[in-house]
Amino acid sequence: MVGSAKKTPTNVKKQGTLFSFFSKKPAPSPYSSQDNDKTRVSSNVRSPPVTLTSVSSLSSHCSSKTKRCDDANQASAKRAIKRTEEQQATAGKKVSIESSKKEKLLDQVQVGTAISVYWPDDDEYYNAKVTAKKREPSGNSNVVTLLYEDGEVETIDLKHEVFKILENGVSPYASQETATSTKTVRKRKVIHESEEEEFEDESEEDEEDSEEEFVVGDDDSNGDDDEDDFEAMDVTDEDMEESSSLNRKKKSVPARKRLCVTSIQSPNASQRSNQKSTFAEKKHSTASFITPPPNSKSITGSTKSNSFASFASDSSMKKKSYLSEQQKVTPMSQLSPPSSSNKLSYSTKSNVSFPLNGVVNQAGTHYHNHFNFLKPDNIRDAEGHPASHPDYNHRTLKVDYREMERVTGSKLTPASQQWWELKSQYADTILLFKTGKFYEIFHMDADVAVQVLGFSYMKGPVAHAGFPEIGYGGFAEKLVKAGYKVARVEQTETPDMLKERKSNSKKGAKKPMVVNREVCSIVSSGTRTFCYMDDVSALDGDHGNCGIGPLLAIKEIIIGDNDNFTDNYEDRDCARPVCEYGITVVDAATGVITLGQFADDILRSRMNTLLTRFRPSEVLVESGSTGVSKTLMSLLQSMKTSILPSCMIEKIHETESFPQSNAIDADVRSYLQRPSQHVKPWHKDETLRELHRRGYYPRASKNQNTSSPHEGIGRWPEVLKACVEGGADLALSSFGATLFYLQRSLIDEDILSLGIVKAYIPPDPASISESRTTNNEKHSVPLSLSEVASEQQRQEDGTDLHDTPVFASNECAVSMESEISHLSLDGTTIANLEILANSHSNTLSGSLWSKINFTKSPFGSRLLRAWLLRPLFRKSDIDRRADAVEELVSGAAATAMSEARNVLSKCGDIERLLSRVHSMGGNGKNGSNNYHPNERAVLYETVIHTKRKVGDFSKLLNGLRALSLIPEIFDGIEIKSALLTRIVRTTDHGGLFPSKLTEALDWFFDNFDCNKAADGLFEPARGMDEEYDFAIESINRIKQELEEYKNEMCSSVLKPSHLAKKEWAYVNVKIDSKDKYIIELPIHVQVPGDFIVKGKRGKGAKQVNKYRTPVVERLVEELERAYDVMKAGKARGMQLVFAKFDSMRTLWASAAQASAMIDALGSLAQASSKAGYSRPFIKDCSVDDSPSISIVQGRHPCVEFTHSGGDFIPNDLEMGYTKADEEGANILLLSGPNMGGKSTLLRQTCLIAILAQIGCFVPAEKCILTPFDRIFTRLGASDRILLGQSTFFVELAETAAALRGATRRSLVIMDELGRGTSTFDGTAIASAAVKHLIERNRCISLFATHYHSLLEDWKGKPGVRLGHMECIVEEVESNGDVPGGNPKESNITFLYTLGKGGCPKSFGINVARLAGLPEEVLQKAKNVSLNFEDSMNMLSANNRDAHQSLPERVRDAMNHDDWSLVEKLWDSVQ
């Protein structure tokens, strides 16, 4: 559609999709241009009328072939041409006279003069007052500024205009042929309500004329042929039913006289056109309300051609143009990229050109660019708040309809009114406005479409683009990826339905003039469900790896200093909470909802962890005084620059305006709308009431009328019920904001009715105290929520469900260890260890996830990812999973696993498809969800949509059938692993796989023919729908009764019986026949009195009468009702199948869960089968034991080669007390040269521990370890500039988290702590941290440092071991080019092996040389370093000499009995 012209055969009714129904244009100009292809290019440029001054210009073109006109216009054109010829004869005589009169008239024009200016397009004079006159050096100027009576201001040159001075009567210069009444008129005609029918009639005529530019005729076509084409074209589908009545009304409307000749545009007239703008004196900038994408890039020069490009490309119209250079307008296919602000603005020149009819207008010149209410400074929301107001709602817009009518010069059409009403409620959303088979995009939305989709504008003053219905998925996905929200606005009424609604409207009420349209869905980056209309190409794997993150809602409260805390934080190694969060995470693709509530510290460590784990694509936060803090907003903004580059942040106000439904049915409207238009999304009680009202979850009792929203929740999901009963108000508050957003997006039923709600518990429950007491009321996450979360995690992990975890008290650390079930990884650790993505490009390459993910199914990939982020802690759980992995590495089980992996690769995304079938089946509402606008939408590509639905269902059926083969694959194989046995065996044999899976699937394969269903030939099978089955039985019974009635009447009632039996016939017996089962009998057959004659055929002896009897009439009425039920059953046949399938979702989900575990175990087995991998040995760590880790020839799992290309150098590491009766070390102080491999050793140790605790083999010859409960990392150097945190602050914050949170079972790595400050402060902080780790935390720690004094201080201390990364240092001759340079320089060879003891130097100069520092700088640095070392060595020597002479001084003092000196010497030693 976009900007294309399609030739339509004659007599073919067109579905109108053009812009003209958005604005009733003023009467066309009496001057229309024409080219050789007979295609009119209309313009609203004000050209001079046919006067003596323009006769010579017109005469040269009078012989040109004129544009197709109606009969009245053609007659008008002939008369005008004749007048022009007559005027030409006397033109020479009159020119000089007219020129002198014009000069006298111009001299009379001064400031304050009232004049009347002629506008040829309107054929009217408009009164204006001269408010200013341009001053020229010569003193003479004809350029004046006019103020019209309607308020429009215009600067024009009167020398080129037709005008008259009102004080002196009619101007003698005015042309007699074009002069109209001098009465005062408005500049634009106002059509009153009483003139509605006339307005519609004129609109129809105007719209027909405006269509010409979109129909390209053949070169040999004539005007008569074109006439039929144009008369067959309607602007919009809703006008179809009006066409006949409008055409009849046209006969009574007098034809407007228009002179159809080719106009010649002079440069002055062109300039005059540009000056016509109302805003000629002002600089313009209009705004869209679409939130722009972050860091969006211009697509200029990169726009791809696509299958719909012909709709957008004006160049596809292969025709010549004879327009002058001043008339030509270059189509703008791209706009400048959107800014980073919240609004998309377009800057225009100080003189904004007014849009022209019939041509492609440039960006920034369309009607909407001239609307004052769309300018950034004038934008108001629905409540009238400006953008600077704290309560400004960017989702709504206050529309000034009078302003639009003033600019466009006409009243809005009903369809235009409909568009703006929707836009006022969805101002931040691109509206894809359905018109016939096309989605049309208008005004500021069209600007975005041109920029993002590469479309071109269509012709006309309204910014307009569009595409066919079939292209919705691809184009909507592009807009969403660019950061926009997209609303799909569908027609929910046909023209016939509109006609019926009109006829049923009450007398005196305003009749509907346009088919009804409703918003059917709003798609944003966080609400993509990937339904049958969407582009699912982005889901070619685990959507978590495709940049498709979930929707996250965050409710935050700040904990003040005056709050009373239940814990004494000064005495505990846990951070003091400064805020509390309630969060809701929604995975729209699978329908999974996650709720959580937790406290957080000043660094927002837990929020950082949550964002790192879920990586949301859209975040909802509260705005206003009680909304989100600046700290959290800064955190979100900083995450957008790193791991969340495409994340959108949406602010939800405390009070929001809920969109009003356009549904015709009042019950549907009340269901879809909130009880009040003004809602409180963050209010938990209002949220609970709305959950009850909409009935997303089953009611606890049919007879119970709950007086409180907290009642009647007995059958709700366990997590949601635990939040309500446990007082997790913040979690419910965030859930309320999510509910509001999902309802607004019209996907709430699809997601909430699934009932999949999980609990989120932070991975570090002991690091921050959870509870606080304020006003004697305790706020905390309820224990029941923790228990539900623990149960869900154990099911996902496949741990033994019979081992119920014990929730012990917090009296001692050892008892707390029994409560721990998983190794906690916070966001900092996940990022520092590059577990999910590498740190330099934020992609999967080089991450630990990329090295272990060999899954074959998306749901298996999601489960493995959860395992990776939540490693096991208990030895029994780790061993159980490792046993399964080891058995799948080799042997018969490995062979079966290989076959099972092939099966898994063919099953698709079962979890997502289950969600789709749930939606297609009516969201669990017995196959019906008639409230949703999708059920009323008029779609034209139903065949394709049906095929997609059936395709998804077919994929699901075939995928589940493939999964059902997995138990058969492992059948007969002796499996030792208890976990693997439980997974691959069916429930009949004590396993997890549903035993009745195959039997249940067979019913659907037997009763659902996918091929027929895809072709629309599906009929429900018996047993699928009781109403449908009863209707079929009723139909058969009624037909049988009709036959029995026939036999009875022919045998005993009708005479003669033999003739009656022979001639009795039922007619009209088809299902769609009218007057069904009429009885036909010859006139000779005698019938009783209850046989009523309904008609006859034939005459005389051959006459046959048509009868109806009471019995037959009763049976036919019953038959009609049964037919209606049967038709409805067929219509919803597939939906019933989907609903029946969805009712068994628990069965299918069980199979998917077991298959996901098999897939994840198979992936770990694949990773474990790599060369050099071995199974780690997990040690128990009782109260009397000490944590330890021993690695022999360990390697980094993500680094296979060194940076120089050589093989990776393995290393041994032994920490803790690993040998009997021998003291070990809990902390390793690691030194060595820069780039020697210290950081690599630290990271590989942590990654080996993680792999071991998820049950995977590790890259080492041997590994023995006790499980760790947490891993803390302090690596690298980076600031958080948006949070106001310096590099050194971040460094110390990460250190503080480790010192506070580490237990004896933790693993801590620190790299170069203290380097962000002075040497003395850094050394002091590092030394104090080491002391705390040794004495307080007593955990396994790896501490890399370049502070050699720190090594000396802790050398030989208990629990401390010194180590260094070995290297070879060779002294070579220097090049000697630098004056004063050292003749010797060190050449370093890194060995990347861990050696004992400390390293005396760090060899930083060597790294500086590798980095390319100038040689002069290197030599100076080396000299300074040597001098500094000599100074320090000399100082150390003096101190050593002093200590060596001390014994002699003591003995001398003792000999002289100088005990005071002895005491002083002793104190100096201390």
Side-chain angles (χ1 to χ4, degrees):
M1 272 294 302
V2 186
S4 77
K6 296 196 294 184
K7 178 166 176 59
T8 305
T10 305
N11 301 327
V12 177
K13 188 72 173 176
K14 296 186 180 179
Q15 299 263 357
T17 59
L18 308 176
F19 68 87
S20 53
F21 75 92
F22 264 79
S23 61
K24 303 293 187 185
K25 293 179 290 299
S29 170
Y31 312 101
S32 59
S33 60
Q34 179 181 3
D35 57 24
N36 288 344
D37 291 327
K38 306 175 183 61
T39 303
R40 177 172 66 87
V41 182
S42 62
S43 172
N44 64 355
V45 177
R46 285 172 50 188
S47 303
V50 184
T51 63
L52 296 179
T53 59
S54 61
V55 165
S56 59
S57 299
L58 287 170
S59 62
S60 61
H61 293 274
C62 284
S63 59
S64 300
K65 193 175 297 182
T66 59
K67 182 94 173 73
R68 172 186 57 80
C69 302
D70 53 31
D71 295 340
N73 291 339
Q74 290 177 358
S76 176
K78 292 178 181 179
R79 290 194 297 270
I81 294 173
K82 184 176 180 180
R83 287 196 302 270
T84 303
E85 292 173 349
E86 294 173 354
Q87 293 167 355
Q88 187 176 11
T90 58
K93 298 179 181 179
K94 294 185 177 180
V95 167
S96 58
I97 299 175
E98 295 294 332
S99 297
S100 61
K101 291 182 179 180
K102 184 72 174 287
E103 293 294 332
K104 292 181 180 180
L105 198 62
L106 290 171
D107 291 340
Q108 300 178 28
V109 177
Q110 301 297 331
V111 176
T113 302
I115 65 175
S116 185
V117 183
Y118 178 75
W119 286 62
D121 281 10
D122 299 343
D123 199 20
E124 294 283 354
Y125 278 87
Y126 297 108
N127 296 345
K129 184 177 181 180
V130 179
T131 59
K133 190 173 183 181
K134 185 177 180 181
R135 297 179 179 273
E136 295 287 348
S138 62
N140 297 325
S141 175
N142 301 319
V143 179
V144 298
T145 300
L146 302 179
L147 174 63
Y148 288 94
E149 290 182 347
D150 62 349
E152 182 175 354
V153 179
E154 184 181 46
T155 300
I156 61 175
D157 189 347
L158 291 179
K159 186 177 181 179
H160 306 293
E161 299 295 328
V162 177
F163 69 97
K164 48 196 173 188
I165 299 177
L166 296 181
E167 290 83 356
N168 296 331
V170 180
S171 172
Y173 186 74
S175 171
Q176 295 299 320
E177 289 77 15
T178 58
T180 61
S181 173
T182 59
K183 64 181 180 180
T184 301
V185 293
R186 288 199 54 159
K187 190 155 181 239
R188 297 284 187 252
K189 293 182 179 179
V190 178
I191 307 299
H192 298 284
E193 197 66 35
S194 60
E195 300 175 290
E196 182 68 23
E197 294 297 327
E198 179 183 356
F199 169 74
E200 291 295 331
D201 183 24
E202 293 180 0
S203 165
E204 186 74 15
E205 185 176 357
D206 290 346
E207 288 168 352
E208 287 183 0
D209 293 335
S210 67
E211 297 292 334
E212 300 174 20
E213 57 209 319
F214 295 94
V215 179
V216 182
D218 297 330
D219 292 340
D220 57 353
S221 61
N222 54 43
D224 294 336
D225 293 335
D226 289 344
E227 183 70 20
D228 295 335
D229 287 347
F230 284 98
E231 288 180 354
M233 177 177 285
D234 287 309
V235 175
T236 58
D237 55 305
E238 59 267 22
D239 295 330
M240 292 178 185
E241 81 285 351
E242 295 295 317
S243 59
S244 59
S245 61
L246 290 178
N247 288 333
R248 288 193 297 271
K249 291 179 183 178
K250 284 183 184 180
K251 298 179 181 179
S252 61
V253 179
R256 289 167 293 177
K257 296 182 179 180
R258 294 179 292 180
L259 182 60
C260 293
V261 297
T262 303
S263 64
I264 298 301
Q265 181 71 50
S266 65
N268 289 335
S270 176
Q271 180 183 3
R272 178 74 175 84
S273 172
N274 291 334
Q275 292 174 346
K276 175 183 178 296
S277 171
T278 306
F279 319 103
E281 297 289 339
K282 301 178 182 179
K283 186 174 182 180
H284 300 285
S285 178
T286 60
S288 167
F289 304 89
I290 313 302
T291 304
N295 302 325
S296 59
K297 299 180 181 179
S298 174
I299 61 173
T300 303
S302 61
T303 303
K304 286 186 173 183
S305 61
N306 53 64
S307 58
F308 308 115
S310 61
F311 292 99
S313 175
D314 182 64
S315 62
S316 64
M317 302 176 63
K318 305 296 184 182
K319 57 183 180 180
K320 299 179 181 178
S321 175
Y322 293 95
L323 299 176
S324 63
E325 291 301 322
Q326 289 81 2
Q327 287 176 291
K328 291 182 180 178
V329 181
T330 304
M332 297 291 290
S333 58
Q334 285 88 20
L335 296 177
S336 58
S339 63
S340 58
S341 64
N342 286 334
K343 294 183 177 57
L344 185 59
S345 61
Y346 307 100
S347 297
T348 60
K349 297 179 181 180
S350 58
N351 291 328
V352 180
S353 299
F354 207 73
L356 310 179
N357 287 323
V359 296
V360 178
N361 290 279
Q362 295 186 11
T365 63
H366 294 94
Y367 275 155
H368 72 274
N369 299 105
H370 296 270
F371 295 159
N372 277 319
F373 68 90
L374 292 183
K375 295 180 181 179
D377 294 339
N378 299 334
I379 293 174
R380 299 291 185 271
D381 64 8
E383 301 297 327
H385 298 138
S388 59
H389 195 279
D391 294 330
Y392 171 73
N393 190 345
H394 67 281
R395 277 176 286 278
T396 63
L397 170 66
K398 188 173 184 179
V399 180
D400 189 343
Y401 293 100
R402 303 181 95 185
E403 163 77 6
M404 286 191 290
E405 293 179 3
R406 184 182 68 82
V407 172
T408 61
S410 58
K411 187 177 180 180
L412 295 180
T413 65
S416 179
Q417 181 89 11
Q418 192 180 55
W419 190 91
W420 281 107
E421 286 175 357
L422 288 171
K423 193 63 180 177
S424 66
Q425 299 185 82
Y426 300 95
D428 64 335
T429 307
I430 302 287
L431 298 184
L432 303 184
F433 195 81
K434 183 60 118 4
T435 306
K437 293 184 178 180
F438 290 86
Y439 289 108
E440 307 295 350
I441 314 174
F442 296 97
H443 300 299
M444 49 277 211
D445 294 354
D447 294 337
V448 175
V450 167
Q451 174 183 321
V452 176
L453 303 178
F455 290 167
S456 292
Y457 293 106
M458 296 183 71
K459 293 181 180 180
V462 174
H464 178 199
F467 55 85
E469 180 183 302
I470 192 63
Y472 167 79
F475 289 127
E477 182 69 12
K478 287 182 180 179
L479 289 170
V480 171
K481 284 184 177 179
Y484 297 97
K485 297 184 217 172
V486 180
R488 179 167 56 87
V489 183
E490 296 286 357
Q491 294 175 189
T492 55
E493 188 179 40
T494 64
D496 289 339
M497 296 166 66
L498 173 62
K499 186 181 297 184
E500 182 180 354
R501 183 157 60 102
K502 277 186 177 181
S503 63
N504 295 333
S505 58
K506 296 181 180 180
K507 188 176 182 179
K510 187 176 180 180
K511 293 185 177 181
M513 301 300 296
V514 64
V515 295
N516 194 51
R517 289 181 173 90
E518 298 179 53
V519 175
C520 289
S521 71
I522 296 180
V523 183
S524 62
S525 56
T527 60
R528 285 178 285 183
T529 59
F530 298 97
C531 68
Y532 59 90
M533 293 193 67
D534 296 330
D535 180 13
V536 297
S537 59
L539 295 174
D540 292 337
D542 176 15
H543 63 263
N545 298 330
C546 304
I548 305 172
L551 173 71
L552 169 65
I554 304 174
K555 171 65 177 179
E556 179 189 41
I557 62 170
I558 302 300
I559 301 175
D561 295 333
N562 296 328
D563 288 345
N564 299 316
F565 294 90
T566 58
D567 301 293
N568 186 354
Y569 297 99
E570 301 297 331
D571 298 333
R572 291 190 54 189
D573 287 332
C574 61
R576 179 184 183 276
V578 299
C579 63
E580 276 190 278
Y581 290 118
I583 60 98
T584 299
V585 184
V586 178
D587 186 344
T590 60
V592 178
I593 298 175
T594 305
L595 294 176
Q597 180 170 324
F598 52 86
D600 211 347
D601 57 21
I602 191 173
L603 300 176
R604 307 306 194 267
S605 304
R606 288 179 167 178
M607 180 54 64
N608 180 38
T609 301
L610 181 138
L611 295 172
T612 304
R613 283 171 171 259
F614 287 100
R615 297 182 177 240
S617 58
E618 192 169 9
V619 179
L620 308 180
V621 296
E622 186 178 8
S623 63
S625 58
T626 61
V628 62
S629 66
K630 292 182 179 179
T631 303
L632 178 56
M633 281 301 299
S634 299
L635 174 63
L636 293 173
Q637 294 293 344
S638 66
M639 297 292 270
K640 288 183 65 173
T641 63
S642 55
I643 66 172
L644 304 175
S646 60
C647 179
M648 305 299 296
I649 301 176
E650 185 78 9
K651 291 186 177 181
I652 307 294
H653 294 270
E654 181 181 4
T655 301
E656 283 279 351
S657 176
F658 197 83
Q660 298 301 290
S661 171
N662 285 352
I664 298 173
D665 188 280
D667 292 337
V668 174
R669 286 199 306 272
S670 63
Y671 178 82
L672 293 176
Q673 297 172 174
R674 290 285 185 99
S676 172
Q677 185 176 359
H678 297 285
V679 300
K680 296 181 180 297
W682 301 96
H683 195 277
K684 69 178 183 66
D685 288 339
E686 183 170 329
T687 299
L688 295 176
R689 284 193 293 269
E690 182 64 12
L691 291 175
H692 282 296
R693 184 183 75 87
R694 291 292 293 268
Y696 298 110
Y697 306 118
R699 294 165 53 190
S701 173
K702 290 185 178 181
N703 300 322
Q704 182 179 6
N705 294 321
T706 57
S707 58
S708 169
H710 298 263
E711 299 175 358
I713 62 173
R715 298 174 63 194
W716 284 16
E718 290 296 326
V719 173
L720 186 59
K721 188 167 61 173
C723 289
V724 176
E725 295 174 346
D729 294 349
L730 297 183
L732 293 174
S733 179
S734 67
F735 185 67
T738 305
L739 176 63
F740 165 80
Y741 202 66
L742 295 180
Q743 284 183 338
R744 183 180 173 87
S745 301
L746 292 163
I747 59 172
D748 51 309
E749 291 276 2
D750 294 353
I751 296 175
L752 270 66
S753 58
L754 279 168
I756 307 176
V757 185
K758 297 184 178 181
Y760 175 78
I761 301 298
D764 51 345
S767 63
I768 302 172
S769 180
E770 293 294 339
S771 60
R772 63 187 177 91
T773 301
T774 306
N775 299 329
N776 298 323
E777 182 179 355
K778 186 174 181 179
H779 300 267
S780 65
V781 178
L783 184 61
S784 59
L785 187 60
S786 300
E787 292 174 343
V788 172
S790 177
E791 182 67 20
Q792 290 178 342
Q793 290 176 357
R794 291 174 68 81
Q795 290 179 0
E796 288 184 355
D797 295 338
T799 53
D800 193 352
L801 301 179
H802 298 292
D803 295 339
T804 304
V806 179
F807 294 88
S809 63
N810 298 331
E811 294 180 356
C812 65
V814 177
S815 63
M816 289 181 62
E817 290 179 7
S818 63
E819 299 180 7
I820 302 173
S821 59
H822 296 88
L823 162 62
S824 296
L825 301 174
D826 60 20
T828 301
T829 299
I830 294 172
N832 286 340
L833 297 181
E834 299 179 310
I835 293 177
L836 295 178
N838 64 60
S839 57
H840 64 277
S841 64
N842 194 35
T843 59
L844 298 180
S845 177
S847 64
L848 181 62
W849 171 240
S850 68
K851 300 301 179 181
I852 68 168
N853 183 23
F854 298 97
T855 55
K856 294 295 184 179
S857 66
F859 51 90
S861 177
R862 286 191 287 269
L863 179 61
L864 181 61
R865 187 178 185 272
W867 285 1
L868 178 61
L869 295 176
R870 195 176 61 241
L872 300 171
F873 176 74
R874 298 190 181 98
K875 170 180 166 52
S876 58
D877 294 340
I878 299 173
D879 287 340
R880 186 179 293 109
R881 187 183 294 172
D883 290 342
V885 171
E886 184 176 28
E887 196 156 4
L888 293 174
V889 169
S890 61
T895 304
M897 187 67 234
S898 178
E899 186 177 351
R901 284 169 60 81
N902 292 332
V903 170
L904 288 166
S905 64
K906 302 174 183 178
C907 65
D909 194 344
I910 300 294
E911 292 176 343
R912 185 187 70 84
L913 291 174
L914 284 174
S915 173
R916 288 298 85 229
V917 171
H918 173 75
S919 177
M920 294 187 296
N923 298 322
K925 297 191 175 182
N926 198 23
S928 176
N929 185 21
N930 295 326
Y931 291 108
H932 200 283
N934 275 335
E935 299 296 320
R936 301 180 291 278
V938 179
L939 301 176
Y940 292 87
E941 302 294 345
T942 54
V943 174
I944 295 177
H945 299 154
T946 299
K947 287 183 177 181
R948 289 177 178 174
K949 290 180 180 180
V950 175
D952 283 347
F953 189 57
S954 178
K955 288 179 184 177
L956 183 55
L957 289 176
N958 292 322
L960 288 170
R961 170 165 280 186
L963 296 184
S964 67
L965 300 175
I966 292 179
E968 298 179 11
I969 294 174
F970 286 90
D971 190 25
I973 299 177
E974 183 181 357
I975 300 177
K976 298 179 181 179
S977 166
L979 176 61
L980 185 59
T981 301
R982 193 157 59 98
I983 295 174
V984 301
R985 301 302 184 215
T986 62
T987 53
D988 291 344
H989 298 85
L992 293 177
F993 238 100
S995 57
K996 297 183 179 180
L997 180 63
T998 303
E999 179 183 348
L1001 287 172
D1002 287 342
W1003 187 93
F1004 291 97
F1005 278 104
D1006 294 340
N1007 293 276
F1008 188 83
D1009 190 324
C1010 293
N1011 295 327
K1012 287 186 177 181
D1015 295 334
L1017 303 176
F1018 173 76
E1019 292 187 10
R1022 299 299 296 270
M1024 186 181 302
D1025 182 5
E1026 293 183 1
E1027 293 183 0
Y1028 179 82
D1029 293 344
F1030 182 76
I1032 296 297
E1033 293 174 359
S1034 298
I1035 291 171
N1036 295 332
R1037 175 182 56 79
I1038 294 169
K1039 289 181 178 180
Q1040 182 64 31
E1041 290 184 11
L1042 286 168
E1043 287 298 320
E1044 293 175 355
Y1045 175 74
K1046 168 188 172 182
N1047 296 333
E1048 180 183 353
M1049 298 303 293
C1050 291
S1051 301
S1052 59
V1053 178
L1054 301 181
K1055 302 296 181 181
S1057 62
H1058 70 279
L1059 182 61
K1061 288 182 180 180
K1062 180 180 179 181
E1063 298 296 338
W1064 178 300
Y1066 286 122
V1067 296
N1068 302 335
V1069 296
K1070 293 183 179 180
I1071 188 173
D1072 54 351
S1073 299
K1074 295 182 179 179
D1075 296 326
K1076 291 183 178 64
Y1077 285 88
I1078 291 292
I1079 304 171
E1080 285 191 349
L1081 287 171
I1083 194 173
H1084 304 296
V1085 177
Q1086 299 178 12
V1087 298
D1090 60 351
F1091 272 58
I1092 302 172
V1093 179
K1094 305 294 290 185
K1096 64 180 180 178
R1097 61 181 175 86
K1099 295 181 180 180
K1102 295 183 179 181
Q1103 179 176 327
V1104 175
N1105 288 342
K1106 300 175 182 291
Y1107 299 102
R1108 173 74 84 194
T1109 70
V1111 175
V1112 174
E1113 187 172 6
R1114 176 182 58 80
L1115 291 174
V1116 168
E1117 289 178 357
E1118 189 178 351
L1119 181 65
E1120 290 283 12
R1121 290 193 294 269
Y1123 274 146
D1124 290 340
V1125 175
M1126 184 190 72
K1127 289 177 182 179
K1130 282 188 176 182
R1132 68 174 187 271
M1134 282 196 301
Q1135 195 174 44
L1136 290 172
V1137 174
F1138 299 152
K1140 182 177 178 65
F1141 186 91
D1142 182 58
S1143 66
M1144 306 169 69
R1145 188 170 67 250
T1146 303
L1147 179 68
W1148 320 127
S1150 299
Q1153 181 185 6
S1155 302
M1157 296 177 67
I1158 294 173
D1159 198 8
L1161 289 174
S1163 180
L1164 293 179
Q1166 184 76 10
S1168 300
S1169 62
K1170 295 179 182 178
Y1173 276 62
S1174 63
R1175 177 177 175 175
F1177 179 77
I1178 306 299
K1179 290 175 53 180
D1180 246 334
C1181 187
S1182 62
V1183 178
D1184 300 327
D1185 293 333
S1186 175
S1188 63
I1189 181 172
S1190 175
I1191 302 174
V1192 178
Q1193 294 294 286
R1195 305 184 309 279
H1196 195 295
C1198 304
V1199 182
E1200 299 177 358
F1201 303 98
T1202 63
H1203 67 275
S1204 59
D1207 292 336
F1208 188 87
I1209 308 299
N1211 268 298
D1212 296 345
L1213 178 68
E1214 190 164 328
M1215 296 297 299
Y1217 299 87
T1218 58
K1219 296 181 180 179
D1221 302 328
E1222 182 176 339
E1223 290 188 357
N1226 281 344
I1227 186 168
L1228 171 67
L1229 295 183
L1230 183 62
S1231 59
N1234 293 105
M1235 298 179 61
K1238 298 188 298 297
S1239 298
T1240 302
L1241 178 64
L1242 268 56
R1243 285 186 170 94
Q1244 82 177 35
T1245 303
C1246 295
L1247 294 179
I1248 287 175
I1250 291 173
L1251 288 177
Q1253 292 187 223
I1254 65 173
C1256 186
F1257 288 15
V1258 298
E1261 291 185 2
K1262 184 180 180 181
C1263 178
I1264 304 174
L1265 59 87
T1266 55
F1268 297 105
D1269 64 350
R1270 291 200 66 182
I1271 293 180
F1272 294 92
T1273 59
R1274 152 77 293 278
L1275 298 171
S1278 62
D1279 58 16
R1280 297 175 183 169
I1281 194 68
L1282 294 177
L1283 290 172
Q1285 299 173 356
S1286 66
T1287 303
F1288 188 55
F1289 181 89
V1290 173
E1291 186 178 328
L1292 295 183
E1294 294 174 354
T1295 303
L1299 298 181
R1300 284 184 176 275
T1303 68
R1304 73 184 194 108
R1305 299 292 298 274
S1306 300
L1307 174 61
V1308 177
I1309 61 172
M1310 292 190 179
D1311 190 12
E1312 301 183 28
L1313 174 63
R1315 62 182 173 182
T1317 184
S1318 68
T1319 302
F1320 299 106
D1321 288 347
T1323 304
I1325 292 173
S1327 180
V1330 171
K1331 181 179 179 64
H1332 194 281
L1333 289 171
I1334 294 174
E1335 298 178 355
R1336 295 287 299 274
N1337 302 111
R1338 295 178 299 150
C1339 59
I1340 303 295
S1341 305
L1342 307 180
F1343 197 104
T1345 183
H1346 289 288
Y1347 294 139
H1348 301 288
S1349 60
L1350 184 67
L1351 304 178
E1352 293 296 329
D1353 292 342
W1354 289 97
K1355 183 178 181 180
K1357 296 294 179 66
V1360 180
R1361 177 178 299 155
L1362 302 186
H1364 70 280
M1365 303 306 295
E1366 296 178 335
C1367 63
I1368 298 177
V1369 183
E1370 297 177 341
E1371 296 290 336
V1372 296
E1373 295 292 335
S1374 175
N1375 54 26
D1377 293 339
V1378 180
N1382 196 305
K1384 298 284 186 180
E1385 63 181 29
S1386 300
N1387 189 13
I1388 309 297
T1389 302
F1390 300 118
L1391 300 181
Y1392 301 112
T1393 54
L1394 177 61
K1396 295 182 178 180
C1399 183
K1401 293 185 177 181
S1402 295
F1403 303 100
I1405 304 298
N1406 183 70
V1407 177
R1409 180 175 288 106
L1410 294 176
L1413 264 67
E1415 190 62 31
E1416 181 179 359
V1417 174
L1418 293 175
Q1419 290 299 333
K1420 289 182 179 179
K1422 188 172 184 179
N1423 293 335
V1424 172
S1425 177
L1426 291 174
N1427 293 335
F1428 186 71
E1429 281 189 47
D1430 292 342
S1431 316
M1432 296 300 295
N1433 291 337
M1434 185 178 299
L1435 180 61
S1436 298
N1438 293 335
N1439 290 336
R1440 196 163 45 250
D1441 293 341
H1443 283 291
Q1444 288 176 353
S1445 61
L1446 181 61
E1448 297 179 0
R1449 295 176 62 188
V1450 171
R1451 283 194 295 269
D1452 185 63
M1454 293 176 64
N1455 292 333
H1456 293 82
D1457 294 332
D1458 190 351
W1459 301 109
S1460 60
L1461 179 59
V1462 172
E1463 186 175 358
K1464 290 180 180 180
L1465 293 175
W1466 176 253
D1467 291 339
S1468 65
V1469 173
Q1470 297 299 314

